[in-house]
RNA sequence: CGGGAUGUAGCGCAGCUUGGUAGCGCGCGCCGUUUGGGGCGGUGAGGUCGCAGGUUCGAAUCCUGUCAUCCCGACCA
């Protein structure tokens, strides 16, 4: 491709609406253009990269025997009504009506369509196992699209689904997909982690996410030096062993006026009740947080969560624990309904299903028998000291709702956890029979009996992958594509206006194309200085740059490696060999 | 949905405080010059100043409303 013909205009400045590197560079280098928030057009350069990502995915999916199909993005309402997702998806679903007034939607995901397709055509265990996939455009009307194509409202996704008669078959399909994903992400070339994910509302059992490690990622995950990694939601707390409490004095209530917050309480304790061994700390206090759970049937249930005073409740972790109920704040009217609760001084005495309030009381796993706490006395201006778990109070159970912090021990004993950010690139999980049951996907088994099919669901963000690669594959000059994804193999520059140099570059171009290289030839002459061409080449990010210039009279051209910056003169006759290395 | 910011030429921005012929850089066309790191000079094309209403002799500028976009958070297979 000649630069003088390529549909491209590079920009000297970063677009004002771009924040993250991939967004800035993909727009500046002419790969994509914004059409609407979260909606982008792919230009020739971008489309070539996208196609290469798709090719890798197709090869690996085909390799595990999955077959490609393609569903429409425009879908009728009915299948989504059957699974209740027409309602559940809420405002995130793009809805529209056809001329007859029938409801339609732009598909956010295709579990229903795949399930119904298999139901349409297959009816015997002999037809299984089966894996189908598609690479297709999805639509989700995100409340806040951001970061260019990293999180759009229209995006390209590979989604596949496995169909098996039994759990062993599902497990095998899951492992096959997992292995394929490992190969896909290895080939895409970025650093990633596989984390245990919360399968949450989707109702599956096993579920893992592939996260590209990147500070611009939206998902926080944890990992340990010993190799543990997980979503924050999936982290389980390492509970200490119970400790004996024989020598601990009896709990005693003390006056602690004006100490509604943990900080004010700790200050007061150190001033009024100093410890012999050390100062009081926030972690010595037991904080009791109240929320309201709204259950799917609409009922509201108060819930108290007891946790060490130096930790906050992590809203996401809490919601994962109480799903499908939703978490709402505990409001003034709720306090009014429970006069036994003294705001700011709530203690275990007023909590628990056996207590006067009857409010369910769940505690952090760290609060084991024998641990001693300072906590509210359920009296205005008073706290209890030396309150011992298991002796002075009990809870209705434990809950994983406290925030996870760097330095916390990994659940598998593999060392302290580190917090990092990642971009969700792939998600695999064992759906089980949820969709097959609602949509009545059954096959006859060996005994002629109807059995419900079990399914797996597996996704890769294809357009997101282009941006995710760009997130790390760049430097201060521009993009630096891995060879397998680059829009071209070679970026050829003619530097100079001398007729022999120009003619020479033309010849090199023809030769390289003849040898099978995909070459971008910057053949611009006239006012386009060599500096402009070098800058554009670095911005575009083709891995190898060949310059035909002043060395040409001596029969050499310059070969530059975009990623290392290394440049060397190569005799014209050796060029093809050098490029093949 | 909460908080913050911004809307002026294709892109990046100034002008607004203090109302008076709409500017700069890049990009684009043409002429000349230049050719190994976004060169120089000249000359052009291109703008309902987000939109609506108001104040005023006169509004990009002041007032009111509204829409949009971006960022943080909430949300999000």
């Amino acid at each position: 491709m000649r630069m003088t013909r390529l549909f491209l205009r590079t920009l000297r400045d970063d677009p004002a609406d771009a924040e993250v590197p991939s967004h800035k560079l993909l727009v500046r280098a002419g790969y994509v253009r914004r059409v609407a928030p979260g909606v982008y057009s792919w230009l020739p350069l971008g489309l070539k990269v996208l196609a290469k990502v798709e090719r890798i995915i197709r090869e690996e999916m085909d390799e595990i025997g999955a077959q490609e199909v393609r569903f429409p993005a425009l879908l009728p309402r009915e299948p989504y009504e059957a699974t209740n997702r027409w309602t559940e998806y809420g405002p995130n679903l793009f809805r529209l009506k056809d001329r007859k007034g029938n409801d339609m939607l732009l598909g956010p995901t295709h579990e229903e369509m795949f399930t119904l397709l298999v139901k349409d055509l297959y009816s015997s265990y002999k037809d299984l196992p089966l894996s189908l996939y598609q690479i297709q455009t999805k639509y989700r009307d995100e409340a806040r699209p951001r970061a260019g194509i990293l999180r759009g409202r229209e995006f390209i996704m590979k989604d596949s689904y496995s169909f098996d008669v039994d759990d062993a078959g599902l497990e095998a399909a899951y492992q096959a997909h997992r292995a394929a994903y490992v190969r896909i992400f290895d080939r895409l070339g970025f650093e990633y982690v596989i984390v245990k994910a919360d399968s949450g509302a989707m109702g599956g059992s096993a579920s893992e996410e592939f996260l590209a490690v990147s500070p611009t990622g939206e998902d926080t995950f944890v990992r340990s030096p010993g190799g543990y990694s997980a979503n924050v939601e999936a982290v389980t707390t390492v509970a200490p062993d119970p400790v004996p409490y024989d020598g601990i004095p009896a709990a005693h209530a003390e006056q602690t006026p004006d100490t509604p917050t943990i900080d004010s309480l700790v200050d007061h304790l150190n001033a009024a009740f100093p410890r012999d061994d050390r100062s009081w700390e926030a972690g010595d206090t037991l904080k009791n947080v109240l929320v309201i759970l709204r259950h799917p049937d609409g009922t509201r249930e108060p819930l108290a969560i007891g946790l060490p005073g130096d930790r906050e409740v992590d809203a996401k972790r809490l919601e994962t624990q109480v799903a499908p109920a939703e978490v709402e704040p505990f409001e003034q009217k709720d306090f009014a309904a429970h006069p036994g609760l003294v705001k700011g001084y709530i203690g275990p005495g007023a909590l628990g299903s056996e207590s006067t309030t009857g409010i369910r009381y769940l505690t952090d796993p760290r609060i084991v028998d024998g641990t001693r706490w300072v906590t509210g006395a359920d009296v205005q201006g008073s706290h209890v000291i030396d309150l011992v778990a298991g002796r002075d109070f009990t809870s209705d159970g434990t809950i994983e709702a406290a925030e996870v912090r760097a330095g916390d021990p990994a659940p598998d004993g593999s060392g302290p956890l580190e917090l990092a950010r990642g971009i969700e690139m792939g998600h695999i999980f064992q759906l089980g029979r949820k969709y097959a049951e609602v949509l009545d996907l059954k096959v006859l088994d060996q005994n002629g009996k109807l059995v419900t099919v079990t399914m797996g669901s597996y996704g890769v963000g294809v357009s997101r992958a282009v941006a995710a690669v760009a997130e790390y594959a760049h430097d201060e000059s521009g993009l630096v594509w891995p060879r397998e994804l680059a829009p071209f193999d070679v970026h050829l520059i003619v530097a100079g206006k001398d007729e022999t140099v120009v003619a020479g570059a033309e010849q090199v171009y023809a030769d390289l194309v003849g040898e099978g290289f995909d070459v971008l030839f910057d053949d611009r002459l006239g006012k386009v200085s060599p500096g402009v061409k070098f800058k554009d080449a670095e911005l575009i990010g083709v891995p190898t740059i060949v310059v035909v210039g002043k060395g040409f009279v001596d029969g050499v051209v310059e070969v530059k490696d975009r990623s290392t910056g290394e440049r060397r003169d190569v005799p014209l006759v050796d060029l093809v060999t050098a490029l093949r290395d």
Side-chain angles (χ1 to χ4, degrees), chain A residues 73-88 93-98 100-116 119 435 438-440:
Chain A
L74 181 65
L75 298 167
R77 169 176 173 169
E78 288 72 33
Y80 290 80
E81 195 67 75
T83 55
N84 201 34
R85 289 216 277 187
W86 175 262
T87 308
E88 276 178 10
L93 193 62
F94 274 107
R95 299 156 204 268
L96 60 161
K97 285 183 188 294
D98 68 11
K100 295 178 192 162
N102 296 321
D103 284 319
M104 304 199 74
L105 61 101
L106 297 176
T109 173
H110 281 72
E111 277 85 359
E112 287 85 350
M113 303 310 296
F114 275 87
T115 308
L116 290 171
K119 179 187 174 186
Y435 286 91
V438 219
L439 297 169
D440 199 32

Side-chain angles (χ1 to χ4, degrees), chain A residues 190-203:
Chain A
F190 44 51
E191 185 193 357
Y192 66 95
V193 293
I194 304 174
V195 302
K196 292 180 182 60
D198 149 50
S199 43
M202 296 297 287

Side-chain angles (χ1 to χ4, degrees), chain A residues 13-35:
Chain A
D13 302 307
D14 286 333
D17 60 357
E19 200 70 21
V20 302
S22 64
H23 187 195
K24 290 178 181 172
L25 289 170
L26 290 172
V27 172
R28 268 192 65 200
Y31 284 70
V32 299
R33 295 295 296 173
R34 194 190 80 102
V35 171

Side-chain angles (χ1 to χ4, degrees), chain A residues 252-257 259-261 265 269 286 344-346 374-379 381-385:
Chain A
H252 46 104
E254 300 292 349
Q255 292 303 305
T256 54
T259 57
T261 65
L265 174 61
L269 289 172
L286 172 62
Y345 296 90
I346 298 165
V374 177
T375 192
D378 299 309
V379 174
S382 178
H383 280 85
V384 181
I385 301 179

